[in-house]
Amino acid sequence: MSLTAILSEIDGGDDKGVGKLLQKYNLENSHTFAFDHKEEDARIELCQGLLKVLRRSDHPLCQSTCLETLRILSRDKRVLGPVTTKEGILTLAGLARIHVVGHDGEPLEEAQSAEEERVVVEALKCLCNVVFNSVPAQQVGADVKLAEGLCARLPSVSSSHHEVGLFSLRLLFLLSALRTDVRGMLQKEAGAVRLLTDILERTLDVRWVGPYEAEAPKPEALPISSENNELAMEALKALFNITMSDSSDEDNDHQLRLIAGIMRHLLMLKTHTEDKTEEAHSHTINLLSNLPVRCLDVLIDIPVQGGMETYGGKNMDVVQILLDFMEKRIDKGTNYKEGLTPVLSLMTESSRYHREIRRYLKAQVLPPLKDVKERPEIGCTVRNKLVRLMTHVDMAVKQGAAEFLFVLCKESVDNLLKYTGYGNAAGLLMARGLLAGGRGETQYSSDEDSDTEEYKSAKPFINPITGHIELPMPNPMEEMTEEQKEYEAQKLVKMIDELSRKELIRPMGVRKDGTLAPLGEAIHECSPPPSSDSDSD
């Protein structure tokens, strides 16, 4: 479709003719994401022309067709200039029925025609593309308080106007993700946390039976509908952005506990597919990671439903779901940084703060040792999988797995080494300055773990480096004479010295505080000071 013909028709003022040509262009380019550089100027001119038509036309079909074309063009960052002005953003906001400063938008009503609703949806899609692809558009959106206008629509978000609600939430997510000032305004001035929480309550059909306890879903309950699930996911993503900034006032604490209660409810629900359920759980975990750890007691404190006597009457259903989610992500074997580290971090911090959660996870992940014939990293238990991650190439994954196990061991070096071996734990211990042993800084309860009889009998034969019983190895020096041993020792010293001089290796030692230092420095620090007394005359 020739852009010249479309531009001529726009200049001629025949909106009906423009609509027909644009429909053909939209059909041809609906899946186009890479555009011809030679037509860049023509596409910029077309953007200007489309805005001109949108301002003069009041016919819904013409408006939705122009907006669809503008949405296709907005995939190209280089042609967005005319749309990213204040006038351009206000035009789109008006068509999306968003009330913003300096421009009154009409409220979306139930009785509105399908054609008019299509205009609103297409305008919201255009705004999403433009805001995502243009920094100037993000600035204009912040200046005219576009996010505040969107908040005014949130109380009416429902499945009856699904796409309007979905793209309103998506635009709010983009604005809050890309602008920290918008994020702060949404939290402190617009009351977005409460509004988004209300959306989650409606879409997830939350029914409270206690201050922060939702009614448990019945076994025969239907999965969340696809439309409600989509709305809930967008609300979760926007809430994640807004709750990134810390606020500790009493009213906010109450609101965050409500969110934790809704997140517990969501973790207990199912969607139509396993992949969608996993996605919902992933967004839930991300949001829980933003909440103050003191609020996470809501996950296990369920008075109406009750809990387990072993863990002080606390309910561990959600903790087990988190553990299962973590193991599933480990088994996938890909995208550990984005997919695994959030749940590891959440379980680590909740275990550090909540004794019952730590005790439950310790029992599931690090049960009392019996068989120590295999290395800790070999096997298919959760412990084996986590120990393997302690030597992962990605630093965040390695640290996350090691820190989780360390907290389960109440930050005791001896306990950690018992379950992992010194070789696997060396990275964490070096980072924490605990190579010489000891404990971390967090104070834990004094309950002690008792070793099994099998472990006690095997303990003298366990190699502390590998963490398992090794078969006796032949001594390579057994047949050597003293001269041969001395020769091999000198040879080894020369090799180490040569590698050190070439800076291929750097011999290290452990200081008194448990941190690493160059070998000479560590020896000097550990050597006793020379005596100040002298017997010489």
Side-chain angles (χ1 to χ4, degrees), residues 438-452:
R439 281 186 176 273
E441 296 176 356
T442 308
Q443 297 297 316
Y444 293 90
S445 58
S446 58
D447 53 296
E448 293 296 330
D449 302 315
S450 57
D451 293 331
T452 62

Side-chain angles (χ1 to χ4, degrees), residues 13-26:
D14 181 7
D15 291 348
K16 186 177 286 188
V18 170
K20 288 180 180 179
L21 291 175
L22 290 179
Q23 284 175 353
K24 188 176 180 183
Y25 180 85
N26 295 345

